[in-house]
């Protein structure tokens, strides 16, 4: 399988190249040159596979010749071995035609682990074949940093340094990062905001001599390998509910559009997906687009579901590319226009095409709290604020009668104990393996918002390990 950029100006790469590069050189996002198609017989043959075996089967065409199937299967088994639930991604029935698929049984209790655990092992495998090392740097306001750290800790070909805004993350989120004491992990608290951290990250990559010397790499949500690793759970849910002989719908609490894009990819590969529902909080740019073709940027407002507090959903560019029949010039123009004017121009005809599959729904904070309470009263289910939005979206936008909808449950309720307690008066407890999180020793350094200081810190960590 070969990969092309959505903006058409970057060299074609294979899966390993796309994994290591992340973003394409022309600022575009990598897309598979063609979509693998599975027949009804292919889907049926996957029924009954364990989740890791299913994941390897579904990812195999994307990985192509970069990694042998046996090695990929081994990677998938290792990636999901540490999950707390034997089914890895259990389905919970909430109503006759409504299910939640729990994607939060991994080490950091959020769905980011589903892809990140695979990614750490993919990196390690590809780097071993090239006898190379990388330094992964990232900036986080919460979930992504801890998932990346858990995925990379103690991998001998990777050093990882994560920047977070000092005293501006939740205590659970900070401790999920800073209590990982592996020698290849560096946590840097920046005296500044999340935006300052992101600017520092960009500056690290823009310093080409430093980037080359350190072999910098990133694992942010535009990395195609992350999307590929998120497709299998849609397949697993659909097969469990009767696909390919029955349609299903999916509802996804959405931020960067990565998770729901994976659902769209599964549909493109032949899975019978009747409808995709985008759940958003008050940061509702995608829902405004789906309701009335209004994709205009607005300031980001904090909410009870912080992982969806996003205005520019980077992975939307991939859908746009498909919508424009893979025309890279039209895609690049639309993205340039969006950056320049704050508004995305999509023709009515194209908008109607999106609407044949995608539906939008928004829920503000009081609505989210009410939904958490309603769910708990109705069936005893405890949903975190992100998952509650997905479930509410599924109920608000039901597909044709008899088609089941699966709402993605993206975080464990114990990750957001205050919101849950406020809604239902119960404080959810962390799973046993994290019960002592608040008592574990931490390691992180506090640095000023200064590029030279961060570069010196990264260089020192890498120097100790090379
Ligand atoms: C990252 C995240 C999301 C949003 O997923 P995208 O792929 O960015 O759309 C939703 N819920 C939780 C808990 C997350 O961590």
């Amino acid at each position: 399988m070969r990969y092309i950029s959505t903006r058409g100006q970057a060299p074609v790469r294979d899966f390993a190249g796309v994994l290591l590069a992340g973003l394409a050189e022309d600022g575009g996002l990598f897309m598979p040159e063609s979509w693998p198609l599975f027949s009804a017989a292919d889907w049926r043959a996957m029924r009954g596979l364990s989740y890791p075996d299913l994941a390897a089967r579904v990812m195999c065409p994307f990985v192509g010749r970069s990694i042998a199937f046996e090695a990929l299967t081994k990677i998938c088994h290792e990636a999901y071995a540490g999950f707390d639930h034997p089914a890895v991604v259990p389905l919970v029935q909430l109503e006759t035609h409504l299910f939640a698929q729990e994607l939060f049984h991994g080490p950091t209790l959020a769905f980011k682990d589903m892809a990140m655990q695979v990614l750490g092992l993919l990196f390690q495998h590809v780097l071993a074949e090239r006898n190379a090392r990388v330094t992964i740097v990232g900036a986080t306001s919460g979930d992504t940093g801890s998932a990346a750290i858990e995925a990379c800790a103690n991998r001998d070909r990777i050093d990882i340094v994560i920047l977070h805004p000092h005293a501006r993350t939740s205590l659970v989120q900070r401790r999920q990062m800073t209590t990982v004491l592996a020698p290849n992990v560096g946590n840097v608290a920046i005296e500044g905001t999340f935006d300052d951290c992101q600017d520092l990250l960009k500056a690290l990559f823009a310093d080409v001599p430093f980037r080359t010397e350190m072999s910098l790499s990133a694992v942010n949500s535009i990395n195609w390998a992350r999307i590929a690793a998120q497709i299998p759970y849609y397949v697993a849910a659909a097969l469990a509910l009767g696909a390919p002989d029955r349609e299903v719908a999916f509802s996804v609490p959405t931020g960067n559009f990565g998770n729901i894009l994976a659902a769209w990819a599964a549909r493109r590969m032949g899975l019978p997906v009747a409808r995709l529902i985008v759940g958003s909080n008050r940061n509702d740019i995608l829902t405004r687009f789906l309701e009335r073709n209004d994709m205009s940027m607005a300031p980001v407002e904090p909410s009870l579901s912080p992982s969806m507090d996003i205005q520019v959903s980077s992975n939307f560019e991939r859908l746009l590319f498909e919508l424009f029949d893979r025309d890279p010039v039209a895609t690049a123009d639309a993205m340039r226009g969006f950056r320049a004017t704050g508004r995305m121009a999509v023709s009515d005809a194209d908008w109607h095409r999106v609407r044949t599959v995608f539906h939008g729904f928004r829920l503000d904070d009081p609505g989210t709290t009410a939904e958490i309470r309603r769910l708990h009263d109705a069936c005893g289910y405890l949903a975190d604020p992100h998952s509650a939005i997905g479930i509410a979206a599924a109920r608000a936008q039901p597909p044709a009668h008899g088609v089941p909808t699966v709402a993605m449950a993206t975080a464990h309720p114990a990750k957001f104990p205050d919101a849950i307690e406020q809604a239902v008066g119960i404080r959810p407890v962390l799973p046993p393996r994290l019960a002592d999180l608040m008592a574990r020793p931490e390691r992180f350094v506090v640095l000023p918002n200064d590029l030279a200081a961060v570069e010196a810190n990264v260089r020192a960590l890498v120097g100790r390990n090379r």
Side-chain angles (χ1 to χ4, degrees):
M1 173 71 74
R2 306 197 312 162
Y3 290 83
I4 54 175
S5 165
T6 50
R7 304 202 189 166
Q9 300 291 317
V12 169
R13 290 179 186 260
D14 65 0
F15 180 81
V18 164
L19 172 76
L20 296 175
L23 195 70
E25 290 87 336
D26 57 1
L29 277 58
F30 284 112
M31 284 286 269
E33 204 169 44
S34 61
W35 288 102
L37 271 182
F38 290 103
S39 67
D42 293 334
W43 295 126
R44 280 188 204 109
M46 293 183 206
R47 284 180 180 155
L49 290 180
S50 71
Y51 187 74
D53 285 330
L54 176 74
R57 282 289 294 279
V58 174
M59 288 180 70
C60 171
F62 293 110
V63 170
R65 280 195 283 270
S66 284
I67 300 174
F69 183 67
E70 293 68 34
L72 179 64
T73 304
K74 200 160 158 261
I75 284 172
C76 290
H77 276 271
E78 196 178 333
Y80 298 115
F83 278 53
D84 275 341
H85 198 289
V88 183
V89 285
L91 276 180
V92 178
Q93 186 162 20
L94 304 173
E95 295 175 12
T96 307
H97 291 124
L98 177 62
F99 297 78
Q101 185 174 39
E102 296 183 345
L103 306 177
F104 54 70
H105 293 285
T108 72
L109 310 180
F111 99 95
K112 303 288 189 294
D113 291 325
M114 293 302 304
M116 213 65 98
Q117 284 293 312
V118 178
L119 225 66
L121 294 165
L122 290 174
F123 261 89
Q124 184 74 10
H125 183 91
V126 166
L127 291 168
E129 287 199 329
R130 299 178 179 203
N131 192 24
R133 294 180 57 94
V134 291
T135 307
I136 290 173
V137 288
T140 191
S141 58
D143 290 343
T144 309
S146 56
I149 286 173
E150 282 290 344
C152 297
N154 294 312
R155 307 227 176 273
D156 61 5
R157 295 187 174 273
I158 304 174
D159 292 305
I160 179 165
V161 176
I162 297 293
L163 314 178
H164 71 264
H166 186 39
R168 286 174 199 250
T169 60
S170 83
L171 198 57
V172 171
Q173 285 177 326
R174 185 184 86 207
R175 287 191 147 265
Q176 281 188 315
M177 298 190 280
T178 57
T179 59
V180 180
L181 303 179
N184 70 328
V185 173
N187 275 292
V188 177
I190 296 293
E191 288 172 330
T193 63
F194 174 57
D195 285 339
D196 294 329
C197 295
Q198 282 201 304
D199 289 344
L200 280 168
L201 189 68
K202 280 190 201 132
L204 286 172
F205 277 95
D207 181 346
V208 175
F210 181 78
R211 181 172 87 190
T212 311
E213 182 194 342
M214 295 291 124
S215 312
L216 289 194
S217 193
V219 290
N220 46 23
S221 84
I222 49 91
N223 195 306
W224 172 260
R226 273 179 69 176
I227 308 286
Q230 289 169 185
I231 300 171
Y233 47 78
Y234 290 102
V235 175
L239 293 182
L241 295 174
D245 305 301
R246 186 189 187 201
E247 290 192 305
V248 294
F250 293 113
S251 177
V252 187
T254 296
N256 251 324
F257 208 74
N259 202 2
I260 198 159
L261 187 89
W264 182 87
R267 183 177 188 273
R268 189 68 188 71
M269 292 161 71
L271 199 70
V273 177
R275 155 177 305 212
L276 293 171
I277 306 155
V278 173
S280 54
N281 58 31
R282 59 194 294 192
N283 300 290
D284 63 347
I285 183 166
L286 289 167
T287 297
R288 279 186 281 120
F289 170 66
L290 291 168
E291 280 176 355
R292 48 178 194 270
N293 198 1
D294 166 22
M295 189 177 286
S296 52
M297 284 186 221
V300 176
E301 309 263 6
S303 77
L304 288 176
S305 42
S307 298
M308 297 155 70
D309 293 346
I310 284 173
Q311 276 300 331
V312 180
S313 301
S314 8
N315 278 296
F316 189 78
E317 181 170 342
R318 290 191 157 113
L319 185 70
L320 205 62
F321 180 64
E322 291 285 338
L323 191 62
F324 294 163
D325 295 322
R326 301 192 146 223
D327 178 345
V329 178
T331 308
D333 280 352
M335 292 310 296
R336 242 192 320 273
F338 186 45
R339 291 278 166 197
T341 66
R343 182 174 284 272
M344 177 82 76
V346 174
S347 73
D348 271 357
D350 285 337
W351 178 69
H352 279 292
R353 279 168 69 199
V354 177
R355 296 237 317 160
T356 59
V357 183
F358 286 93
H359 295 254
F361 174 78
R362 93 172 57 67
L363 200 60
D364 60 10
D365 280 357
T368 304
T369 303
E371 175 66 11
I372 294 171
R373 189 177 308 127
R374 190 201 64 77
L375 263 169
H376 186 252
D377 289 348
C379 56
Y381 192 70
L382 263 194
D384 97 288
H386 305 78
S387 310
I389 291 175
I391 293 166
R395 298 177 74 247
Q397 299 277 8
H401 184 69
V403 175
T405 303
V406 185
M408 296 297 135
T410 51
H412 192 291
K415 233 177 155 166
F416 300 92
D418 298 337
I420 305 287
E421 188 168 20
Q422 193 197 334
V424 297
I426 297 170
R427 204 162 171 85
V429 291
L430 289 164
R433 73 187 149 76
L434 282 167
D436 66 338
L437 183 68
M438 293 301 160
R440 290 180 195 169
E442 284 186 277
R443 190 183 67 213
F444 66 100
V445 294
V446 182
L447 292 181
N449 178 9
D450 174 61
L451 181 63
V454 175
E455 288 190 346
N457 181 277
V458 174
R459 193 177 266 119
L461 179 96
V462 172
R464 280 197 300 278
N465 293 331
R466 276 191 181 169

